[in-house]
Amino acid sequence: MSRQAAHPPSLAEGFPDLSAMPIARQAHWGRILSAGAILAVLAGLIHAFATGQIAWKIVAQFLTVPVILHGIADTVIMAVLAMALGILLGTIVAIMRLSPNPVLSSVAAFYTWLFRGTPLILQLLLWFNLALVFPVIGIPGLWTGRAVDIMTPFLSALLGLGINQGAYTSEVIRAGLLSVDAGQYEAAQAIGMGRMRALRRIILPQAMRVVIPPLGNEFIGMIKSTSLASVIQYPEVLHSAENIYYANSRVIELLLVAGFWYLLVVTLLTPLQMMLERAYARGTVRPAR
Amino acid sequence: MNRPLLAIRNVRKTFGSYVALDGVSLDVMAGEVVCLIGASGSGKTTLLRCVNQLARIDGGGIWLDGALLGMRERAGTLHRLSEAEIARQRLKTGMVFQRFNLFPHKTVLENIIEGPVQVQKRAPAEAREQAMALLARVGMAEKAASYPAQLSGGQQQRAAIARALAMAPMLMLFDEPTSALDPELVGEVLAVMRELAASGMTMLVVTHELGFAREVADHIVYMDRGTVVEAGPPSQLLLAPREARTRAFLSAVIA
Ligand SMILES: Nc1ncnc2c1ncn2[C@@H]1O[C@H](COP(=O)(O)OP(=O)(O)OP(=O)(O)O)[C@@H](O)[C@H]1O
Ligand SMILES: [Mg+2]
């Protein structure tokens, strides 16, 4: 037996063992430089705003006056109700759009086309001024009323925002429904489910995972769209801010107050969305590494 | 002669101008296992989907347990049944898919009791008890609380078989139940199907597993281009095929 054969196959010379040598930390010069530049710009901006024509005391003073607090409450209430209406309509329209019945799918396509194709502010004004078209509205034989009494700023804003939102939401939900594998629908049918039950029990819960992030986006958009309802006298926060600065001329200060509240509400939404996402992530496990 | 549990007569199915099933006829007696073999695109899946009414036939007729599927004859004309009536007829068949199609947002147990509780309106406690018995039967009792994504392909397919069985169907349809599986997982699924066949379940199985077909099938049906070319007991069809096309297919598959 030769000496060679007793050893493992030999490795080539000239490649030292580096396993004991420490690895130095990399210096990220690019990061340090860009951070410095951004800090300088920020400092400049803060200085500009601090010394600019803004009375920060007035901003602080109006931040929590009752009119503004009512305004932000009305903003949030309207956004939640209009979004709920939008999701309800959007779900129905998305299901109609995917229906094999050509009448239903055309009606759904028409709705989306009409309400996405015209400016929201125009729709709000039309709802608010409905009395000019139909002085009396109601269900024939059951109940009627004068349109001017019924189409209050609240109802006009709710219908305008909600129905418009439904047109956008229907496309988000349709994308979610299409993302679910066709085999899921067949498996549901194979255990005797009808179309509606399969949608409700099997398809929609799976579509929710895909739908929540864009719906979160839509909801943030809705919070800001409620400001358009100020044109029809709905007392949301921007409308309240306007009313105050018409009286005291502190335009910028009150706009900053409104801006602060919008930012705060939108910020609070993020953890809410994460909770929803987690709830609908059931059954999606990543393989262990 | 006995009435077959499933009778398929002269069934046609077209996709646009393409004829996927061109006058297929075939019988499955109660308790029998019939395996469908044939080249890709020959219409095997389409035939199963027609039996389960996931696809609508364009001609001919399918009878299950004596009842015409999907249609009703009135005054010499056939009228299609409503969605609800078709859903009710589907309860008599169980379907196992090539890609399992378990509901990913539900645990294995929830997958199995979904049909019994939601469709058959059975009491959840009773459905759960029956589901656990079925899971034990397919060797999956300890995976009842797992989600499909946590299971191997073989385990998912066994759970899918249990889900179909939970509806107490009189006929089980299998569409290449092992062809999406890694080779080492095929055996466990075939073992469950073998046990099911031995228990007397009537089965119509599309498969490329000729060994399984030879061992378990009472009849093998060879399909080509939407027609039944030849049918017979395994010993005859596999070892002494009469038709040249069957011989060509078998030699290509075995080679
Ligand atoms: N939805 C459809 N639309 C159009 N053509 C289809 C549709 N489904 C099936 N076909 C066609 O019908 C023929 C039969 O398909 P089928 O899936 O039944 O074949 P198969 O025998 O199951 O094949 P495989 O072994 O590959 O699964 C194929 O040519 C296929 O392209
Ligand atoms: Mg197939």
Side-chain angles (χ1 to χ4, degrees):
Chain A
M1 210 193 234
S2 76
R3 207 177 63 90
Q4 202 84 31
H7 284 271
S10 63
L11 298 169
E13 302 276 327
F15 301 95
D17 182 5
L18 298 182
S19 55
M21 216 176 278
I23 300 173
R25 274 194 68 178
Q26 248 176 309
H28 297 284
W29 292 113
R31 293 183 200 178
I32 293 169
L33 278 176
S34 53
I38 283 174
L39 281 178
V41 171
L42 267 182
L45 276 175
I46 289 171
H47 181 257
F49 273 96
T51 57
Q53 304 276 353
I54 300 170
W56 288 103
K57 267 202 171 134
I58 301 220
V59 175
Q61 182 193 330
F62 279 96
L63 207 53
T64 52
V65 294
V67 185
I68 292 290
L69 291 183
H70 280 140
I72 191 66
D74 281 349
T75 293
V76 171
I77 289 168
M78 179 54 69
V80 168
L81 291 181
M83 194 68 197
L85 179 61
I87 290 175
L88 180 73
L89 286 174
T91 308
I92 294 170
V93 170
I95 291 171
M96 283 169 64
R97 188 81 192 268
L98 295 175
S99 150
N101 180 336
V103 178
L104 290 184
S105 65
S106 322
V107 168
F110 177 77
Y111 165 84
T112 311
W113 170 78
L114 185 66
F115 287 95
R116 276 200 315 186
T118 49
L120 174 55
I121 196 157
L122 180 144
Q123 293 172 31
L124 286 168
L125 287 168
L126 280 179
W127 284 111
F128 190 52
N129 293 303
L130 201 65
L132 300 179
V133 192
F134 309 109
V136 175
I137 51 180
I139 307 156
L142 272 179
W143 166 88
T144 52
R146 290 193 325 141
V148 261
D149 302 334
I150 296 164
M151 294 313 284
T152 57
F154 175 83
L155 191 61
S156 308
L158 178 61
L159 289 177
L161 292 167
I163 291 175
N164 180 265
Q165 186 59 48
Y168 288 92
T169 305
S170 73
E171 286 297 281
V172 171
I173 291 180
R174 189 164 71 95
L177 294 177
L178 289 175
S179 77
V180 179
D181 183 54
Q184 290 292 309
Y185 185 55
E186 298 199 333
Q189 281 185 300
I191 57 170
M193 287 190 173
R195 191 175 136 77
M196 279 305 136
R197 196 194 306 271
L199 272 169
R200 192 164 49 78
R201 300 275 317 169
I202 307 299
I203 309 298
L204 274 173
Q206 293 182 57
M208 284 308 281
R209 268 191 57 230
V210 178
V211 158
I212 289 171
L215 274 192
N217 234 1
E218 294 285 315
F219 191 39
I220 288 172
M222 169 62 81
I223 295 208
K224 291 177 295 181
S225 298
T226 52
S227 61
L228 290 178
S230 60
V231 301
I232 56 169
Q233 317 304 321
Y234 181 71
E236 47 73 53
V237 69
L238 189 63
H239 188 70
S240 313
E242 282 172 346
N243 278 342
I244 297 174
Y245 70 62
Y246 288 148
N248 70 1
S249 302
R250 292 293 188 178
V251 177
I252 297 297
E253 288 77 4
L254 279 144
L255 289 179
L256 287 178
V257 165
F260 166 83
W261 281 110
Y262 282 119
L263 264 180
L264 185 71
V265 170
V266 169
T267 308
L268 293 180
L269 280 178
T270 311
L272 219 72
Q273 176 178 338
M274 273 167 58
M275 269 159 53
L276 264 183
E277 280 181 28
R278 215 164 307 141
Y280 279 102
R282 260 190 99 193
T284 52
V285 280
R286 301 216 167 72
R289 288 188 204 210
Chain B
M1 192 179 147
N2 287 343
R3 184 185 74 183
L5 181 71
L6 176 71
I8 300 173
R9 290 293 177 275
N10 210 9
V11 162
R12 272 176 64 81
K13 172 71 191 172
T14 55
F15 295 106
S17 62
Y18 182 81
V19 182
L21 295 179
D22 192 5
V24 171
S25 296
L26 128 87
D27 278 345
V28 181
M29 308 301 287
E32 239 185 6
V33 175
V34 172
C35 285
L36 280 175
I37 62 171
S40 182
S42 56
K44 310 179 297 292
T45 297
T46 304
L47 184 61
L48 280 200
R49 289 167 53 84
C50 288
V51 171
N52 208 17
Q53 304 193 64
L54 291 174
R56 239 163 56 158
I57 62 176
D58 299 300
I62 304 176
W63 286 261
L64 179 62
D65 196 27
L68 180 61
L69 295 185
M71 289 181 288
R72 178 184 295 118
E73 197 212 309
R74 214 185 303 129
T77 316
L78 292 170
H79 300 267
R80 303 241 188 225
L81 298 185
S82 71
E83 266 291 322
E85 288 169 308
I86 288 173
R88 218 165 306 130
Q89 287 188 332
R90 267 197 204 108
L91 295 178
K92 292 184 178 177
T93 55
M95 178 95 170
V96 175
F97 299 88
Q98 189 172 359
R99 302 220 49 93
F100 330 134
N101 295 354
L102 289 173
F103 307 132
H105 60 304
K106 294 182 182 294
T107 64
V108 167
L109 185 66
E110 288 168 341
N111 263 275
I112 294 172
I113 64 171
E114 181 70 14
V117 173
Q118 293 295 324
V119 180
Q120 294 178 329
K121 308 292 180 203
R122 305 236 302 268
E126 178 214 320
R128 222 169 288 132
E129 202 173 304
Q130 180 221 9
M132 287 310 298
L134 281 172
L135 281 174
R137 186 170 170 196
V138 299
M140 291 279 297
E142 76 282 16
K143 295 289 185 189
S146 301
Y147 285 96
Q150 298 168 314
L151 303 178
S152 74
Q155 291 170 331
Q156 288 189 55
Q157 194 60 296
R158 286 186 281 147
I161 293 173
R163 177 176 69 180
L165 289 174
M167 304 298 286
M170 45 176 55
L171 170 69
M172 283 285 283
L173 306 170
F174 293 83
D175 187 8
E176 299 192 34
T178 59
S179 61
L181 299 177
D182 291 336
E184 75 271 21
L185 302 178
V186 168
E188 62 190 60
V189 172
L190 292 184
V192 166
M193 292 172 62
R194 228 175 253 125
E195 188 271 326
L196 197 56
S199 77
M201 175 59 79
T202 313
M203 295 160 59
L204 182 55
V205 184
V206 175
T207 187
H208 291 307
E209 299 285 338
L210 293 186
F212 172 83
R214 188 179 60 211
E215 185 194 335
V216 178
D218 297 289
H219 287 97
I220 298 181
V221 175
Y222 170 63
M223 284 183 68
D224 188 29
R225 291 190 219 159
T227 59
V228 171
V229 174
E230 184 170 357
S235 53
Q236 181 257 311
L237 193 125
L238 295 178
L239 302 178
R242 280 190 215 101
E243 299 289 328
R245 273 195 282 173
T246 317
R247 269 197 296 278
F249 172 76
L250 288 174
S251 59
V253 170
I254 291 161

